[in-house]
């Protein structure tokens, strides 16, 4: 899980359960001590700030009976020796598609958006025995904040604000400044180089034996920040002309070398 010590974590467990365990496909069992150990490891590794555990199984409250890690709030759809029941039946499928606890939760969240001020205390108040046919339970013994001051969006449907660390901010600033900053001397130095190149090229026909190569004479191929457009354009055309002369001279040399001698 890619969470850290600033994360609010929601763990929602739904399925078949019993006294201090739940089953996965009637094959594997998750024990109450396994849940407690996993949450304790998360706490030791700084994987959450606050954790909300919701259990929807038969005898659900027994699954968090071993938890003693700090800042953990737990909710259950039923007490020990109680069942959690399904809600209605889909006649096409022949089975119920939702449990009463989940149905009640979804009905509540239909009224909630990311800017809602509804609290966990308000959420817990909707779970009635008349609807669930079981007793809702919660354990806040390891949780510090009053439930009527905890927005449900702290765990459900929250949009977190991003706070870059100082290291990241500093790195980003250094990268941006090195990319866009330019000392006042640099444009002048570039302009001087461009001017000297233009005078050299315009003063005489380029000599293939001079110290300039075709690559160096055509190095400016686009606008340079801080230079007049006339200088930049002149360098481009002079560079292209020099390169064309080099190609032409090479072609003439090659044609003389490979041309057949008259018989």
């Amino acid at each position: 899980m890619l969470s850290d010590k600033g994360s609010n974590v929601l763990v929602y467990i739904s399925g078949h359960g019993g006294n201090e365990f739940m089953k996965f496909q009637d094959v594997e069992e998750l024990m109450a001590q396994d849940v407690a150990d996993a949450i304790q490891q998360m706490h030791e590794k700084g994987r959450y700030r606050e954790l909300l555990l919701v259990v929807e199984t038969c005898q659900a409250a027994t699954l968090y009976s071993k938890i003693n890690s700090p800042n953990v709030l737990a909710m259950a759809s039923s007490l020990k020796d109680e069942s959690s029941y399904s809600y209605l039946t889909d006649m096409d499928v022949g089975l119920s598609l939702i449990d009463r606890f989940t149905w009640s939760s979804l009905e509540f969240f239909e009224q909630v958006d990311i800017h809602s001020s509804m609290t966990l205390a308000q959420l817990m108040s909707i779970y009635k025995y008349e609807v669930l046919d079981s007793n809702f339970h919660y354990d806040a013994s390891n949780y510090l904040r009053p439930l009527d001051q905890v927005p449900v969006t702290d765990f459900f449907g929250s949009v977190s604000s991003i706070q870059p660390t100082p290291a990241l901010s500093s790195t980003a600033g250094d990268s941006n400044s090195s990319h866009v900053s330019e000392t006042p001397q640099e444009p002048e130095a570039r302009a001087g180089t461009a001017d000297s190149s233009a005078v050299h090229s315009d003063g005489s026909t380029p000599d293939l034996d001079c110290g300039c190569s075709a690559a160096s004479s055509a190095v400016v191929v686009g606008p340079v920040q801080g230079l007049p457009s006339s200088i930049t354009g002149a360098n481009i055309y002079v560079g292209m002309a020099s390169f064309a002369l080099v190609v032409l001279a090479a072609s003439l040399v090659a044609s003389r070398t490979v041309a057949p001698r008259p018989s």
Side-chain angles (χ1 to χ4, degrees):
M1 180 183 294
L2 299 179
S3 57
D4 56 32
K5 61 183 179 181
S7 303
N8 286 348
V9 176
L10 168 65
V11 180
Y12 196 109
I13 299 175
S14 180
H16 295 292
N19 186 14
E20 297 189 358
F21 75 91
M22 74 156 294
K23 284 188 175 182
F24 294 97
Q25 303 295 330
D26 287 333
V27 176
E28 293 185 56
E29 293 181 351
L30 177 67
M31 308 301 295
Q33 191 61 56
D34 297 331
V35 175
D37 290 345
I39 294 177
Q40 181 61 29
Q41 288 184 31
M42 291 180 66
H43 167 64
E44 292 172 357
K45 295 179 179 179
R47 292 298 187 182
Y48 71 86
R49 178 178 63 181
E50 295 180 348
L51 187 145
L52 173 60
L53 173 64
V54 182
V55 184
E56 182 192 37
T57 67
C58 294
Q59 307 189 63
T62 63
L63 197 61
Y64 53 70
S65 59
K66 305 293 185 182
I67 297 175
N68 54 22
S69 301
N71 299 322
V72 176
L73 174 64
M75 298 167 47
S77 61
S78 58
L79 296 173
K80 183 179 179 181
D81 297 327
E82 289 184 346
S83 297
S84 290
Y85 294 98
S86 59
Y87 184 75
L88 301 179
T89 300
D90 187 298
M91 300 308 296
D92 294 331
V93 179
L95 296 171
S96 174
L97 302 181
I98 194 170
D99 291 337
R100 298 186 180 208
F101 182 85
T102 299
W103 180 84
S104 299
S105 302
L106 292 178
E107 189 176 50
F108 173 84
F109 283 114
E110 289 292 333
Q111 313 167 48
V112 177
D113 60 28
I114 60 175
H115 305 294
S116 174
S117 59
M118 288 188 172
T119 66
L120 288 180
Q122 290 174 290
L123 170 62
M124 293 179 182
S125 68
I126 69 168
Y127 300 116
K128 307 296 185 182
Y129 184 89
E130 293 77 14
V131 178
L132 301 181
D133 265 349
S134 59
N135 290 287
F136 169 78
H137 181 264
Y138 73 91
D139 182 0
S141 59
N142 299 310
Y143 195 72
L144 299 178
R145 290 197 289 167
L147 299 183
D148 59 356
Q149 298 179 19
V150 183
V152 293
T153 52
D154 277 6
F155 296 96
F156 296 89
S158 172
V159 177
S160 302
S161 59
I162 299 175
Q163 300 179 352
T165 63
L168 291 177
S169 300
S170 149
T171 303
D174 293 345
S175 173
N176 290 336
S177 61
S178 64
H179 178 69
V180 300
S181 64
E182 187 175 55
T183 59
Q185 291 80 8
E186 286 179 347
E188 297 174 2
R190 290 182 182 177
T193 304
D195 286 339
S196 62
S197 174
V199 170
H200 170 74
S201 300
D202 292 339
S204 61
T205 303
D207 187 356
L208 296 180
D209 294 331
C210 73
C212 304
S213 66
S216 63
S217 62
V219 69
V220 181
V221 293
V224 178
Q225 184 177 4
L227 292 182
S229 58
S230 57
I231 295 177
T232 304
N235 274 338
I236 294 174
Y237 291 117
V238 169
M240 293 175 63
S242 302
F243 181 74
L245 288 175
V246 171
V247 172
L248 177 60
S251 300
L252 291 175
V253 171
S255 62
R256 291 180 180 179
T257 304
V258 301
R261 303 179 67 179
S263 56

